[in-house]
């Protein structure tokens, strides 16, 4: 009997020892490389594709000095930077208490708490400071604090490691969308992706600068003169890159020079305003939600199910190129229920024989493999303005377009999102279904059930 007890006791002790050994070994392994699961629907605690690509393609070490006291802000930033260091050995992070180490803070000119400094380890003149107010902002919709850490940190890493920045010029002087008052968010986004952004008056500068890597034309209301048009055409024929956006918010299309330019590639911006009763934003038929074509600009937007919103759009018509080196591709289209309304004075848009039947094209790319020329043409410019760029995937569509034009293919992806309250996006048709179900069907079902119960009790 004692032998049996001894045998079972020994087996139990051995099992406990083996279990403890497995637990200790597992903890040691996990301590070296911890496993994390992000169970949030929007993957708020997972680095975006954009950040992952930037970290994967780093060629230079980046040193990060985070000047924080021991508080909740430090914890949040530290958790985020742990994700960066976990994906790239080139990111070196050091947290510093400015009260305990004031000399280092003074050395780098840091005067505020909760400041993060990014340095190129090979050239410390390439540096960028991210302040507390850059990463902790207030939502205009909810009034709650929004965490923009990943956006700011990834942009800082791009800026300090960029070998040479692309010069982007926003054309002004012909009543284009004002870059100072309406395109500030777009300009900031470009700068964060490694672009130098400046305004350009072609007439005053005597043409397109030789260092121009990209020109942006946002809905001019006045025609360019012959000298200006020749300068743009010459720039493109020599392999230039152009982002052209022409919307319908100002009424009929009176500016002719852009279509004269695009006629060189059989592309035309139509004199209409797009109406799409099937795919639109919050039941506004004049705010189409376009479908994506198969293209590097839109592929990741499609896979992420990230829609774009294009209010007051014009349609674009084009013919296939006869040149073997020139390619024209559609990247944005409407539903087949859409049409291009040509009567801008109509109080109620209805399709007639003068209108352009859908499906309509809202965006195309033009490229020439011989010269390297690239052009993106959108029948919309409001997408780039401060009030609309934040809707759904608009910012990503614009930035992917710019990066495709500038041959920054590794930066074509989905940008980091702010940690804010999620919003529900529905097309017009989905909103109609929601209205019918919640306002009509459900109350009607409840009323019928109540009526049945009432009459059954009355019959008892």
């Amino acid at each position: 009997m004692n032998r049996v007890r001894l045998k079972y006791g020994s087996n139990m002790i051995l099992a406990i020892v083996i279990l403890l050994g497995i637990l200790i070994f597992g903890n040691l392994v996990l301590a070296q490389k911890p496993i994390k699961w992000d169970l949030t629907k929007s993957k708020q605690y997972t680095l975006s594709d954009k950040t992952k690509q930037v970290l994967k393609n780093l060629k230079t070490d980046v040193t990060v000095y985070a000047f924080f006291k021991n508080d909740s802000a430090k914890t949040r930033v530290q958790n985020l930077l742990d994700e960066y260091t976990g994906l790239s050995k080139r990111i070196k992070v050091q947290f510093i208490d400015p009260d305990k180490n004031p000399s280092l803070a003074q050395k780098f000119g840091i005067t505020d708490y909760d400041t993060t400094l990014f340095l190129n380890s090979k050239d410390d003149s390439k540096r960028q400071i991210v302040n507390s107010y850059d990463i902790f902002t207030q939502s205009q919709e909810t009034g709650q604090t929004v965490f923009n850490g990943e956006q700011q940190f990834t942009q800082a890493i791009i800026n300090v490691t960029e070998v040479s920045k692309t010069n982007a010029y926003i054309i002004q002087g012909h009543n284009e969308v004002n870059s100072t008052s309406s395109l500030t968010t777009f300009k900031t986004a470009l700068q964060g992706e490694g672009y130098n952004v400046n305004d350009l008056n072609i007439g005053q500068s005597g043409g397109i600068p030789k260092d121009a890597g990209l020109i942006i034309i946002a809905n001019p209301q006045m025609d360019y003169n012959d000298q200006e048009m020749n300068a743009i055409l010459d720039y493109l024929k020599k392999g230039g890159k152009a982002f052209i956006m022409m919307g319908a918010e100002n009424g009929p299309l009176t500016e002719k020079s852009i279509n004269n330019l695009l006629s060189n590639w059989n592309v035309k911006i139509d004199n209409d305003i797009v109406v799409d009763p099937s795919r639109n934003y919050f039941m506004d038929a004049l705010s189409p939600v376009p479908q994506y074509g198969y293209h590097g600009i839109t592929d990741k937007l499609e896979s992420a199910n990230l829609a774009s919103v294009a209010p007051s759009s014009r349609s674009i018509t084009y013919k296939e190129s006869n040149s073997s080196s020139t390619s024209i591709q559609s990247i944005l289209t409407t539903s087949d229920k859409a049409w291009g309304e040509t009567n801008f004075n109509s109080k109620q848009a209805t399709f007639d024989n003068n209108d352009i039947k859908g499906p309509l094209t809202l965006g195309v790319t033009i490229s020439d493999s011989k010269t390297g020329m690239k052009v993106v043409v959108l029948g919309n410019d409001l997408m780039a303005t401060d009030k609309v760029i934040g809707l759904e995937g608009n910012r990503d569509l614009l930035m992917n377009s710019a990066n495709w034009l500038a041959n920054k293919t590794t930066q074509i992806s989905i940008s980091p999102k702010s940690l804010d309250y999620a919003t529900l996006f529905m097309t017009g048709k989905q909103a109609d279904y929601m209205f019918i179900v919640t306002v009509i069907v459900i109350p009607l079902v409840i009323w019928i059930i109540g009526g049945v119960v009432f009459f059954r009790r009355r019959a008892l």
Side-chain angles (χ1 to χ4, degrees):
M1 191 71 173
N2 290 333
R3 288 181 180 178
V4 174
R5 289 180 178 177
L6 179 62
K7 180 181 178 180
Y8 283 112
S10 299
N11 289 341
M12 183 176 292
I13 292 172
L14 180 61
I16 292 172
V17 170
I18 293 173
L19 180 60
L20 288 174
I22 293 173
L23 291 174
I24 292 171
F25 178 76
N27 280 323
L28 289 174
V29 172
L30 291 175
Q32 297 296 319
K33 192 168 184 179
I35 299 175
K36 299 178 180 179
W37 289 276
D38 186 353
L39 301 179
T40 60
K41 182 178 180 180
S42 59
K43 299 299 179 185
Q44 291 186 353
Y45 302 102
T46 302
L47 295 180
S48 67
D49 289 342
K50 171 81 72 175
T51 298
K52 291 176 181 177
Q53 287 189 15
V54 169
L55 295 176
K56 179 181 177 181
N57 292 287
L58 277 180
K59 307 297 182 186
T60 306
D61 290 348
V62 176
T63 303
V64 183
Y65 293 104
F67 295 88
F68 284 78
K69 298 184 73 175
N70 290 320
D71 54 18
S72 59
K74 177 185 176 181
T75 301
R76 200 158 192 182
V77 169
Q78 190 167 21
N79 289 338
L80 176 60
L81 289 174
D82 284 345
E83 296 289 333
Y84 281 74
T85 56
L87 285 178
S88 176
K89 295 181 179 179
R90 290 194 175 276
I91 305 294
K92 316 292 183 183
V93 178
Q94 185 176 348
F95 275 84
I96 300 162
D97 188 330
D99 291 335
K100 295 180 180 178
N101 196 344
S103 60
L104 191 59
Q106 186 176 7
K107 174 185 176 181
F108 293 117
I110 305 300
T111 58
D112 297 323
Y113 292 113
D114 301 345
T115 300
T116 312
L117 173 66
F118 291 79
L119 288 174
N120 184 313
S121 299
K122 290 184 178 180
D123 182 3
D124 62 5
S125 66
K126 293 182 177 181
R127 61 177 64 187
Q128 182 164 334
I129 290 176
V130 179
N131 294 295
S132 175
Y133 52 78
D134 293 322
I135 58 177
F136 294 101
T137 60
Q138 191 174 46
S139 171
Q140 294 182 352
E141 296 179 358
T142 64
Q144 301 293 323
T145 299
V146 180
F147 184 60
N148 297 313
E150 187 183 352
Q151 287 184 359
Q152 297 296 326
F153 290 172
T154 300
Q155 289 181 1
I157 291 171
I158 293 173
N159 284 337
V160 301
T161 58
E162 193 83 3
V163 176
S164 59
K165 293 191 174 184
T166 301
N167 293 311
Y169 291 96
I170 301 177
I171 308 300
Q172 301 282 269
H174 308 82
N175 284 349
E176 293 92 347
V177 177
N178 191 289
S179 65
T180 303
S181 61
S182 299
L183 299 177
T184 54
T185 304
F186 183 41
K187 288 174 66 175
T188 301
L190 286 169
Q191 291 165 348
E193 298 262 351
Y195 293 82
N196 289 320
V197 186
N198 292 289
D199 287 351
L200 174 67
N201 186 306
I202 301 174
Q204 292 179 2
S205 64
I208 307 293
K210 293 182 179 180
D211 65 357
L214 172 64
I215 63 171
I216 299 168
I217 300 175
N219 206 14
Q221 300 302 297
M222 297 170 56
D223 281 319
Y224 294 82
N225 62 40
D226 291 342
Q227 290 178 310
E228 292 169 329
M229 290 305 300
N230 288 335
I232 295 174
L233 185 59
D234 183 61
Y235 166 74
L236 292 176
K237 287 187 173 181
K238 290 180 179 178
K241 315 294 191 294
F243 197 169
I244 300 174
M245 297 176 276
M246 299 289 292
E249 69 272 16
N250 295 317
L253 180 62
T254 58
E255 202 275 350
K256 299 178 180 179
S257 52
I258 294 299
N259 268 337
N260 290 337
L261 173 69
L262 294 176
S263 66
N264 288 280
W265 301 281
N266 295 318
V267 176
K268 178 188 175 185
I269 298 168
D270 297 316
N271 187 14
D272 63 357
I273 183 168
V274 174
V275 182
D276 193 339
S278 180
R279 286 183 57 89
N280 54 63
Y281 188 68
F282 276 100
M283 296 182 285
D284 180 8
L286 297 180
S287 296
V289 175
Q291 297 170 316
Y292 296 126
Y294 294 104
H295 196 281
I297 292 174
T298 56
D299 285 347
K300 292 195 175 182
L301 291 168
E302 177 69 31
S303 61
N305 197 27
L306 195 56
S308 299
V309 183
S312 299
S313 291
R314 297 190 192 279
S315 62
I316 299 170
T317 55
Y318 66 95
K319 296 179 181 179
E320 296 294 336
S321 174
N322 295 323
S323 171
S324 59
S325 64
T326 303
S327 172
I328 302 175
Q329 291 181 263
S330 171
I331 59 173
L332 300 176
T333 57
T334 67
S335 72
D336 57 1
K337 304 294 184 183
W339 74 88
E341 178 62 52
T342 57
N343 184 2
F344 284 85
N345 296 320
S346 175
K347 294 182 179 179
Q348 185 173 1
T350 55
F351 178 76
D352 57 45
N353 292 331
N354 294 320
D355 297 330
I356 305 171
K357 192 177 187 307
L360 306 172
T361 299
L362 302 186
V364 299
T365 62
I366 310 169
S367 59
D368 191 317
S369 58
K370 284 186 178 180
T371 64
M373 178 205 75
K374 287 184 176 182
V375 180
V376 172
V377 184
L378 298 183
N380 187 285
D381 60 281
L382 290 182
M383 299 174 78
T385 60
D386 295 334
K387 292 182 179 180
V388 185
I389 192 172
L391 292 179
E392 304 305 320
N394 285 0
R395 183 183 185 277
D396 289 310
L397 175 66
L398 294 168
M399 296 311 303
N400 286 354
S401 297
N403 288 330
W404 178 79
L405 287 166
N407 297 321
K408 295 186 177 186
T409 54
T410 58
Q411 292 178 216
I412 296 177
S413 60
I414 305 300
S415 300
K417 296 292 184 285
S418 302
L419 299 189
D420 194 4
Y421 291 96
T423 56
L424 176 64
F425 170 76
M426 293 185 292
T427 64
K429 185 175 289 186
Q430 291 170 332
D432 288 339
Y433 290 152
M434 180 66 74
F435 175 82
I436 292 171
V437 171
T438 58
V439 178
I440 300 175
V441 175
I442 293 178
L444 182 61
V445 169
I446 294 173
W447 185 84
I448 292 172
I449 293 173
V452 171
V453 172
F454 173 78
F455 285 111
R456 293 188 69 179
R457 285 184 175 179
R458 189 175 181 182
L460 294 177

